[in-house]
Amino acid sequence: MRHLISINDLDREDITYILKRAEEFEDVARGERNLKILEGKILGNLFFEPSTRTRMSFEVAMKRLGGDVVNMTAQEASSIAKGETLADTVRVVSGYCDAIVIRHPLEGAARFAAENSSVPVINAGDGAGQHPTQTLLDLYTIKKECGKLDGITIALVGDLKYSRTIHSLIKALTLFETKIYLVSPDALALPDEMLEEIGGDVSRARLYEVIEEVDVLYVTRIQKERFPDEEEYRKVSGSYRITLNTIKNAKDSMIIMHPLPRVDEVDPAVDKTRHAKYFQQAFYGVPVRMAILSEVML
Ligand code: CP
């Protein structure tokens, strides 16, 4: 694996391999075992959009494996503020590091970065495009918490239009034998062209009709920052919320996932139920990103 730009870069076998590698790193991620396989390696974090989980879990993954990280976070404190192009920034940073992680508001920016980099580039989210490392940790969470990927029924809830997490995950899920329900307000529905492209057992549903059947309830935030204007956002803001009442007929084993951050779409009262797995999911980002970094750097 050289670059990781889209989940389409991986097939079922690649994904299965990365998830298996991640499992081998879990004790290292928890700090229970020392493994310095990335000693002497440096990761360059180029974040042109805010991030807590993705940036920090890449950093923790590198450091737990003995490597180091340099960050470019505040654009106003870098030469981007002087008008430096993305291509030039990537050319320079790829001379300093052994791999680059990039998050950018423009779809296609990560692929463009890869074309201008002399080292592997990992896409940490490009606009409403893709977020492949999130998908790998989502699949890892399902495998760990449900015990399998084949045979699961999953409801994808919320902003299916702009969520890059959903756009990556839905493609990966169709590589496995999954049944997918799309649950969203009409204005936030999965784009038709994406629905046609993915194939698989995918249908629109209302949550109350399918909640008893689902193994995974995957909830997303409304991606306010992607809306063309504030008025369009206001029309859908607060249009769905998962509460104790929403999940009262769910299976005991049903898990709730969320890539986080959440705003108001999951009632905090749900956090105390056995269903809530979103904080565990965020932790799984560390071993999964260890697996990815070791693939691209070694
Ligand atoms: N899930 C996710 O991408 O979170 P951050 O925006 O905090 O990185």
Side-chain angles (χ1 to χ4, degrees):
M1 190 164 81
R2 180 156 162 75
H3 304 293
L4 178 54
I5 305 301
S6 164
I7 201 68
N8 295 330
D9 297 344
L10 304 177
D11 61 21
R12 183 183 158 119
E13 202 178 325
D14 297 325
I15 291 171
T16 305
Y17 174 74
I18 292 168
L19 303 194
K20 185 172 162 291
R21 288 288 288 153
E23 184 129 42
E24 292 163 9
F25 285 121
E26 242 197 76
D27 55 350
V28 184
R30 291 187 204 282
E32 294 164 0
R33 179 167 65 100
N34 258 333
L35 186 67
K36 302 299 178 198
I37 55 173
L38 295 184
E39 202 162 353
K41 302 285 185 189
I42 296 177
L43 177 70
N45 268 341
L46 292 183
F47 279 70
F48 295 84
E49 272 192 345
S51 170
T52 298
R53 279 146 291 274
T54 310
R55 189 179 62 75
M56 290 186 73
S57 61
F58 264 116
E59 193 155 347
V60 169
M62 269 310 278
K63 290 182 174 176
R64 291 266 197 220
L65 290 176
D68 213 336
V69 184
V70 288
N71 278 287
M72 192 213 70
T73 45
Q75 291 177 48
E76 60 275 17
S78 74
S79 286
I80 301 288
K82 300 177 202 163
E84 185 166 53
T85 63
L86 177 61
D88 282 0
T89 302
V90 168
R91 280 186 199 115
V92 170
V93 175
S94 68
Y96 298 156
C97 306
D98 301 289
I100 288 174
V101 172
I102 183 168
R103 170 171 290 187
H104 198 281
L106 289 181
E107 204 168 322
R111 196 164 297 284
F112 178 76
E115 285 160 8
N116 287 281
S117 175
S118 55
V119 297
V121 171
I122 300 168
N123 183 3
D126 60 330
Q130 285 270 311
H131 195 350
T133 69
Q134 178 71 45
T135 294
L136 290 166
L137 79 89
D138 290 344
L139 295 176
Y140 187 74
T141 305
I142 297 170
K143 182 118 193 343
K144 290 283 292 189
E145 302 298 330
C146 298
K148 60 183 182 181
L149 284 164
D150 286 312
I152 64 142
T153 298
I154 182 166
L156 303 176
V157 179
D159 185 349
L160 312 185
K161 182 175 182 179
Y162 293 118
S163 170
R164 57 192 173 205
T165 296
I166 292 291
H167 299 166
S168 292
L169 179 60
I170 197 166
K171 290 186 183 176
L173 287 170
T174 59
L175 296 176
F176 296 86
E177 285 158 27
T178 55
K179 185 172 186 178
I180 303 169
Y181 289 121
L182 306 175
V183 180
S184 72
D186 287 344
L188 298 176
L190 193 76
D192 285 342
E193 63 277 13
M194 207 170 282
L195 195 56
E196 282 159 25
E197 188 194 313
I198 52 178
D201 187 351
V202 185
S203 55
R204 294 202 70 187
R206 293 179 198 280
L207 193 52
Y208 69 85
E209 292 169 345
V210 297
I211 189 69
E212 291 175 34
E213 203 191 315
V214 302
D215 302 299
V216 181
L217 186 62
Y218 193 103
V219 189
T220 57
R221 170 181 69 90
I222 299 182
Q223 308 285 299
K224 184 180 182 189
E225 63 277 25
R226 311 265 174 250
F227 278 68
D229 67 72
E230 184 80 20
E231 184 48 34
E232 288 305 305
Y233 170 71
R234 262 200 294 272
K235 283 183 197 162
V236 289
S237 172
S239 54
Y240 57 92
R241 182 170 168 86
I242 304 302
T243 64
L244 293 175
N245 193 45
T246 321
I247 58 172
K248 68 177 189 296
N249 294 327
K251 294 181 195 177
D252 280 356
S253 59
M254 186 271 289
I255 65 166
I256 304 175
M257 295 172 62
H258 191 309
L260 305 177
R262 75 172 144 185
V263 183
D264 54 8
E265 60 280 355
V266 179
D267 184 338
V270 173
D271 299 359
K272 293 193 182 72
T273 70
R274 63 185 166 281
H275 304 294
K277 296 293 177 192
Y278 21 91
F279 296 114
Q280 183 64 29
Q281 181 185 353
F283 164 73
Y284 287 144
V286 178
V288 168
R289 288 179 172 122
M290 283 175 164
I292 295 165
L293 288 168
S294 64
E295 281 310 302
V296 302
M297 284 191 174
L298 294 178

Short mmCIF file of all heavy atoms in Angstrom, two decimals, residues 47 49-57 103 124-125 131 133-134 137-138 164-165 218 221 225 258-261 281-282 289, ligand 1:
data_model
loop_
_atom_site.label_atom_id
_atom_site.label_comp_id
_atom_site.label_asym_id
_atom_site.label_seq_id
_atom_site.Cartn_x
_atom_site.Cartn_y
_atom_site.Cartn_z
N PHE A 47 -3.37 19.43 8.50
CA PHE A 47 -4.82 19.56 8.74
C PHE A 47 -5.28 20.96 8.39
O PHE A 47 -4.94 21.92 9.09
CB PHE A 47 -5.16 19.17 10.19
CG PHE A 47 -5.26 17.68 10.36
CD1 PHE A 47 -4.13 16.88 10.31
CD2 PHE A 47 -6.50 17.07 10.54
CE1 PHE A 47 -4.23 15.50 10.44
CE2 PHE A 47 -6.60 15.68 10.67
CZ PHE A 47 -5.46 14.90 10.62
N GLU A 49 -8.50 21.55 8.13
CA GLU A 49 -9.83 21.61 8.76
C GLU A 49 -9.66 21.12 10.20
O GLU A 49 -8.75 20.35 10.48
CB GLU A 49 -10.81 20.64 8.08
CG GLU A 49 -11.54 21.19 6.91
CD GLU A 49 -12.69 20.25 6.49
OE1 GLU A 49 -12.73 19.09 6.93
OE2 GLU A 49 -13.53 20.72 5.74
N PRO A 50 -10.58 21.51 11.10
CA PRO A 50 -10.46 21.05 12.50
C PRO A 50 -10.54 19.53 12.63
O PRO A 50 -11.20 18.86 11.82
CB PRO A 50 -11.66 21.71 13.19
CG PRO A 50 -12.10 22.80 12.29
CD PRO A 50 -11.75 22.39 10.90
N SER A 51 -9.89 19.02 13.65
CA SER A 51 -9.95 17.58 13.97
C SER A 51 -9.50 17.38 15.41
O SER A 51 -8.58 18.06 15.87
CB SER A 51 -9.02 16.79 13.05
OG SER A 51 -8.89 15.46 13.50
N THR A 52 -10.14 16.48 16.10
CA THR A 52 -9.64 16.03 17.41
C THR A 52 -9.17 14.58 17.27
O THR A 52 -7.99 14.27 17.43
CB THR A 52 -10.75 16.14 18.48
OG1 THR A 52 -11.13 17.51 18.59
CG2 THR A 52 -10.25 15.64 19.84
N ARG A 53 -10.12 13.69 16.94
CA ARG A 53 -9.84 12.26 16.91
C ARG A 53 -8.81 11.85 15.87
O ARG A 53 -7.87 11.12 16.17
CB ARG A 53 -11.12 11.46 16.65
CG ARG A 53 -11.98 11.24 17.85
CD ARG A 53 -13.43 11.24 17.44
NE ARG A 53 -13.78 12.58 17.05
CZ ARG A 53 -14.18 13.52 17.92
NH1 ARG A 53 -14.34 13.22 19.17
NH2 ARG A 53 -14.42 14.75 17.51
N THR A 54 -9.01 12.27 14.64
CA THR A 54 -8.16 11.75 13.56
C THR A 54 -6.72 12.22 13.77
O THR A 54 -5.78 11.41 13.73
CB THR A 54 -8.70 12.22 12.20
OG1 THR A 54 -10.09 11.93 12.15
CG2 THR A 54 -8.00 11.51 11.06
N ARG A 55 -6.54 13.52 14.02
CA ARG A 55 -5.18 14.04 14.19
C ARG A 55 -4.51 13.42 15.42
O ARG A 55 -3.40 12.94 15.36
CB ARG A 55 -5.21 15.57 14.32
CG ARG A 55 -3.82 16.19 14.27
CD ARG A 55 -3.88 17.70 14.37
NE ARG A 55 -4.46 18.16 15.62
CZ ARG A 55 -3.84 18.15 16.81
NH1 ARG A 55 -2.59 17.70 16.88
NH2 ARG A 55 -4.44 18.57 17.89
N MET A 56 -5.23 13.41 16.55
CA MET A 56 -4.60 12.92 17.78
C MET A 56 -4.36 11.41 17.74
O MET A 56 -3.34 10.93 18.24
CB MET A 56 -5.44 13.30 18.99
CG MET A 56 -5.40 14.79 19.25
SD MET A 56 -6.24 15.26 20.77
CE MET A 56 -5.09 14.68 21.99
N SER A 57 -5.27 10.65 17.14
CA SER A 57 -5.06 9.19 17.13
C SER A 57 -3.93 8.81 16.18
O SER A 57 -3.19 7.85 16.44
CB SER A 57 -6.35 8.43 16.83
OG SER A 57 -6.84 8.78 15.58
N ARG A 103 -5.95 16.44 5.83
CA ARG A 103 -7.39 16.72 5.84
C ARG A 103 -7.58 18.09 5.18
O ARG A 103 -6.86 19.05 5.52
CB ARG A 103 -7.94 16.75 7.26
CG ARG A 103 -9.38 17.27 7.30
CD ARG A 103 -10.02 17.12 8.65
NE ARG A 103 -10.29 15.71 8.94
CZ ARG A 103 -10.98 15.31 10.00
NH1 ARG A 103 -11.47 16.18 10.87
NH2 ARG A 103 -11.18 14.03 10.22
N ALA A 124 -7.21 11.98 5.38
CA ALA A 124 -7.91 12.06 6.68
C ALA A 124 -9.22 12.82 6.53
O ALA A 124 -9.75 13.34 7.53
CB ALA A 124 -7.00 12.73 7.70
N GLY A 125 -9.75 12.86 5.32
CA GLY A 125 -11.02 13.55 5.05
C GLY A 125 -10.83 14.65 4.03
O GLY A 125 -10.05 15.58 4.27
N HIS A 131 -13.28 9.38 3.72
CA HIS A 131 -12.56 9.36 5.01
C HIS A 131 -12.21 7.89 5.27
O HIS A 131 -12.75 7.24 6.16
CB HIS A 131 -13.48 9.92 6.10
CG HIS A 131 -12.81 10.30 7.39
ND1 HIS A 131 -11.50 9.98 7.69
CD2 HIS A 131 -13.28 10.98 8.47
CE1 HIS A 131 -11.20 10.44 8.89
NE2 HIS A 131 -12.26 11.05 9.39
N THR A 133 -9.72 6.13 6.55
CA THR A 133 -9.21 5.56 7.82
C THR A 133 -10.33 5.47 8.85
O THR A 133 -10.34 4.58 9.70
CB THR A 133 -8.00 6.35 8.38
OG1 THR A 133 -8.41 7.64 8.83
CG2 THR A 133 -6.90 6.51 7.33
N GLN A 134 -11.32 6.39 8.75
CA GLN A 134 -12.50 6.30 9.62
C GLN A 134 -13.27 5.02 9.29
O GLN A 134 -13.74 4.30 10.18
CB GLN A 134 -13.40 7.54 9.44
CG GLN A 134 -14.67 7.50 10.26
CD GLN A 134 -14.45 7.69 11.75
OE1 GLN A 134 -13.70 8.57 12.16
NE2 GLN A 134 -15.11 6.89 12.57
N LEU A 137 -11.66 2.01 10.82
CA LEU A 137 -11.90 1.86 12.27
C LEU A 137 -13.37 1.55 12.55
O LEU A 137 -13.70 0.86 13.52
CB LEU A 137 -11.39 3.08 13.04
CG LEU A 137 -12.20 4.35 13.10
CD1 LEU A 137 -13.17 4.36 14.27
CD2 LEU A 137 -11.25 5.54 13.27
N ASP A 138 -14.25 2.00 11.67
CA ASP A 138 -15.67 1.65 11.82
C ASP A 138 -15.88 0.14 11.60
O ASP A 138 -16.59 -0.52 12.36
CB ASP A 138 -16.52 2.43 10.81
CG ASP A 138 -16.59 3.91 11.13
OD1 ASP A 138 -16.25 4.30 12.26
OD2 ASP A 138 -16.97 4.69 10.23
N ARG A 164 -18.75 12.47 4.66
CA ARG A 164 -17.71 11.67 3.97
C ARG A 164 -17.52 10.33 4.67
O ARG A 164 -17.12 9.35 4.04
CB ARG A 164 -16.41 12.46 3.93
CG ARG A 164 -15.87 12.89 5.30
CD ARG A 164 -14.76 13.91 5.14
NE ARG A 164 -14.33 14.46 6.40
CZ ARG A 164 -13.75 15.65 6.53
NH1 ARG A 164 -13.57 16.42 5.47
NH2 ARG A 164 -13.35 16.09 7.69
N THR A 165 -17.81 10.31 5.97
CA THR A 165 -17.74 9.05 6.71
C THR A 165 -18.71 8.03 6.11
O THR A 165 -18.35 6.86 5.89
CB THR A 165 -18.11 9.35 8.18
OG1 THR A 165 -17.12 10.22 8.70
CG2 THR A 165 -18.20 8.12 9.01
N TYR A 218 -25.81 3.42 13.02
CA TYR A 218 -24.66 4.31 12.77
C TYR A 218 -25.20 5.72 12.55
O TYR A 218 -25.82 6.01 11.54
CB TYR A 218 -23.88 3.82 11.55
CG TYR A 218 -22.52 4.48 11.41
CD1 TYR A 218 -21.35 3.82 11.76
CD2 TYR A 218 -22.42 5.79 10.92
CE1 TYR A 218 -20.11 4.43 11.64
CE2 TYR A 218 -21.18 6.40 10.81
CZ TYR A 218 -20.03 5.71 11.17
OH TYR A 218 -18.79 6.33 11.04
N ARG A 221 -23.64 13.32 12.43
CA ARG A 221 -23.96 14.74 12.68
C ARG A 221 -24.36 15.39 11.36
O ARG A 221 -23.87 15.01 10.29
CB ARG A 221 -22.68 15.39 13.22
CG ARG A 221 -22.65 16.88 13.34
CD ARG A 221 -21.26 17.33 13.88
NE ARG A 221 -20.18 17.14 12.93
CZ ARG A 221 -19.80 18.05 12.03
NH1 ARG A 221 -20.38 19.21 11.95
NH2 ARG A 221 -18.80 17.78 11.20
N GLU A 225 -20.94 22.58 8.09
CA GLU A 225 -19.89 23.29 7.34
C GLU A 225 -19.94 23.04 5.84
O GLU A 225 -19.29 23.72 5.06
CB GLU A 225 -18.50 22.93 7.90
CG GLU A 225 -18.09 21.47 7.79
CD GLU A 225 -18.61 20.56 8.91
OE1 GLU A 225 -19.65 20.88 9.52
OE2 GLU A 225 -17.98 19.52 9.14
N HIS A 258 -21.03 6.22 16.18
CA HIS A 258 -21.05 7.62 15.72
C HIS A 258 -19.59 8.00 15.51
O HIS A 258 -18.76 7.76 16.40
CB HIS A 258 -21.71 8.51 16.79
CG HIS A 258 -22.03 9.90 16.34
ND1 HIS A 258 -21.11 10.73 15.72
CD2 HIS A 258 -23.17 10.64 16.42
CE1 HIS A 258 -21.68 11.90 15.43
NE2 HIS A 258 -22.93 11.87 15.84
N PRO A 259 -19.23 8.60 14.37
CA PRO A 259 -17.81 8.95 14.17
C PRO A 259 -17.36 10.05 15.12
O PRO A 259 -16.17 10.24 15.33
CB PRO A 259 -17.75 9.41 12.71
CG PRO A 259 -19.14 9.83 12.37
CD PRO A 259 -20.05 8.95 13.20
N LEU A 260 -18.32 10.80 15.68
CA LEU A 260 -18.07 11.96 16.54
C LEU A 260 -17.32 13.05 15.74
O LEU A 260 -16.63 12.71 14.80
CB LEU A 260 -17.31 11.59 17.81
CG LEU A 260 -17.96 10.47 18.66
CD1 LEU A 260 -17.06 10.14 19.86
CD2 LEU A 260 -19.34 10.92 19.18
N PRO A 261 -17.41 14.30 16.06
CA PRO A 261 -18.13 14.85 17.19
C PRO A 261 -19.65 14.80 17.00
O PRO A 261 -20.13 14.82 15.87
CB PRO A 261 -17.66 16.32 17.22
CG PRO A 261 -17.33 16.64 15.79
CD PRO A 261 -16.81 15.37 15.21
N GLN A 281 -15.32 3.16 19.92
CA GLN A 281 -15.02 3.31 18.48
C GLN A 281 -13.87 4.32 18.29
O GLN A 281 -12.95 4.07 17.50
CB GLN A 281 -16.30 3.81 17.81
CG GLN A 281 -16.26 4.02 16.33
CD GLN A 281 -17.59 4.67 15.85
OE1 GLN A 281 -18.54 4.81 16.62
NE2 GLN A 281 -17.65 5.01 14.59
N ALA A 282 -13.92 5.43 19.00
CA ALA A 282 -12.86 6.45 18.87
C ALA A 282 -11.51 5.88 19.31
O ALA A 282 -10.48 6.14 18.69
CB ALA A 282 -13.21 7.68 19.69
N ARG A 289 -5.05 2.87 13.02
CA ARG A 289 -4.09 3.79 12.35
C ARG A 289 -2.65 3.29 12.51
O ARG A 289 -1.81 3.53 11.66
CB ARG A 289 -4.31 5.22 12.87
CG ARG A 289 -5.63 5.73 12.28
CD ARG A 289 -6.05 7.10 12.68
NE ARG A 289 -7.21 7.49 11.89
CZ ARG A 289 -8.40 7.85 12.39
NH1 ARG A 289 -8.60 7.88 13.69
NH2 ARG A 289 -9.39 8.17 11.59
N1 CP B 1 -14.38 11.22 13.32
C1 CP B 1 -13.56 12.27 13.02
O1 CP B 1 -13.08 12.42 11.88
O2 CP B 1 -13.34 13.12 14.06
P1 CP B 1 -12.42 14.42 14.03
O3 CP B 1 -13.11 15.40 13.09
O4 CP B 1 -12.33 14.91 15.43
O5 CP B 1 -11.08 14.03 13.45
#
